[in-house]
Amino acid sequence: GAVVSQHPSRVICKSGTSVKIECRSLDFQATTMFWYRQFPKQSLMLMATSNEGSKATYEQGVEKDKFLINHASLTLSTLTVTSAHPEDSSFYICSVRGGRVAFFGQGTRLTVV
Amino acid sequence: GEDVEQSLFLSVREGDSSVINCTYTDSSSTYLYWYKQEPGAGLQLLTYIFSNMDMKQDQRLTVLLNKKDKHLSLRIADTQTGDSAIYFCAATLSGGYNKLIFGAGTRLAVHP
C-alpha cells in the first residue's frame, strides 16, 4: 500500500491565486519531508526540506515567500504556492524518509492559467 | 557537489534484457537508488544498494555497483511492455542519506 499520500493529484488555478498541496506520511512519523519540483521530461529538483515544528530549509534559488512550507505534525507537510503564475506550472512531488529509503507521493500536476 | 548522469533513452525488444547505466561523482555517496516513474505518476522505489556492496539481485532486477569507477547499472531481465517508464538513478550526498541527487532519467521503451 501507499506510504505517502499527496493531494490533490491535479489542480488548475488562475494566475494570482494560491494553491495548497498536502503530503501525508501514512506508515510512520516523519520529522523530515522533502519537496521536489519536476519540469516536463526533466529530473527532480529538490526545493526544500520540511522540518516538523521548525522552519523549512530551502535550496538555493527557491523563493521561500513564494513556496510556503508548513510541517505542523509528524504526518503532514503542506506546500503552498502563493500568487501563482504560469511559470509555476509544474509537477510537484513530496518525499518521506523511512530509514534508508525515500518514498514518494503520487505527485501534483499544477497548471496555472 | 554530487552530479549524477544517465543516458536519456533506451529501446529494447520485449523479452530481452535492458541495462540502464548511471555514473556519479561523489565517491562517498552511501546509498544509490533506482526509481521508476510512469507517466503522470510519482516515483516508485525499485531497489537500492549500499556502497559496500557490488551486486544486488531482486527477482528480475540486478543492480551492479563499480565503486572504483563510480558506475551503477540496473539490469531488467525479460523486459516486458509494463516496464516502459522513466528510470531515475539517485545518490545520497556524502556522509548522510537525507538528500538525494537525481540523474536526468532514462526513458525505457519496450517494443514487441
Side-chain angles (χ1 to χ4, degrees):
Chain A
V3 176
V4 182
S5 177
Q6 188 175 338
H7 292 281
S9 58
R10 185 181 294 267
V11 58
I12 300 173
C13 71
K14 291 184 179 179
S15 276
T17 60
S18 295
V19 173
K20 181 185 284 188
I21 303 169
E22 290 189 350
C23 179
R24 291 183 186 276
S25 174
L26 301 180
D27 283 5
F28 45 83
Q29 296 180 329
T31 55
T32 304
M33 295 187 184
F34 303 88
W35 287 97
Y36 291 84
R37 182 173 181 177
Q38 185 181 30
F39 291 101
K41 297 184 180 180
Q42 293 189 29
S43 189
L44 280 73
M45 180 192 77
L46 179 64
M47 297 175 65
T49 303
S50 171
N51 304 299
E52 188 267 336
S54 65
K55 291 182 179 180
T57 305
Y58 290 82
E59 295 300 303
Q60 192 173 6
V62 178
E63 299 175 60
K64 60 180 181 181
D65 295 329
K66 174 75 170 173
F67 300 100
L68 297 179
I69 291 173
N70 183 275
H71 193 152
S73 78
L74 287 170
T75 58
L76 174 64
S77 174
T78 61
L79 169 68
T80 301
V81 183
T82 62
S83 186
H85 290 284
E87 57 265 30
D88 299 324
S89 298
S90 192
F91 194 58
Y92 294 87
I93 310 177
C94 70
S95 170
V96 173
R97 274 241 167 239
R100 301 168 183 174
V101 177
F103 297 97
F104 287 81
Q106 309 94 311
T108 298
R109 170 76 59 196
L110 170 63
T111 304
V112 184
V113 298
Chain B
E2 173 81 281
D3 189 27
V4 178
E5 294 192 354
Q6 303 176 236
S7 52
L8 295 182
F9 189 75
L10 176 66
S11 178
V12 299
R13 189 182 308 178
E14 192 174 12
D16 287 351
S17 291
S18 306
V19 179
I20 302 172
N21 294 300
C22 170
T23 58
Y24 58 99
T25 56
D26 188 345
S27 58
S28 56
S29 287
T30 313
Y31 293 95
L32 299 129
Y33 303 82
W34 284 104
Y35 285 89
K36 176 183 180 182
Q37 185 180 36
E38 298 186 47
L43 272 68
Q44 173 195 352
L45 176 70
L46 290 178
T47 186
Y48 67 96
I49 190 167
F50 188 45
S51 59
N52 67 354
M53 298 167 66
D54 297 326
M55 186 196 82
K56 182 177 180 181
Q57 186 167 2
D58 183 5
Q59 298 183 331
R60 292 191 298 125
L61 304 179
T62 303
V63 178
L64 294 178
L65 174 62
N66 182 327
K67 199 175 177 184
K68 174 176 170 287
D69 294 338
K70 295 194 278 289
H71 180 268
L72 182 74
S73 68
L74 174 69
R75 179 177 179 269
I76 305 173
D78 187 25
T79 312
Q80 302 298 306
T81 54
D83 295 324
S84 295
I86 300 176
Y87 291 81
F88 288 97
C89 169
T92 52
L93 286 180
S94 58
Y97 55 87
N98 258 338
K99 282 190 180 181
L100 289 181
I101 304 300
F102 285 84
T106 299
R107 183 177 296 273
L108 174 64
V110 183
H111 55 88

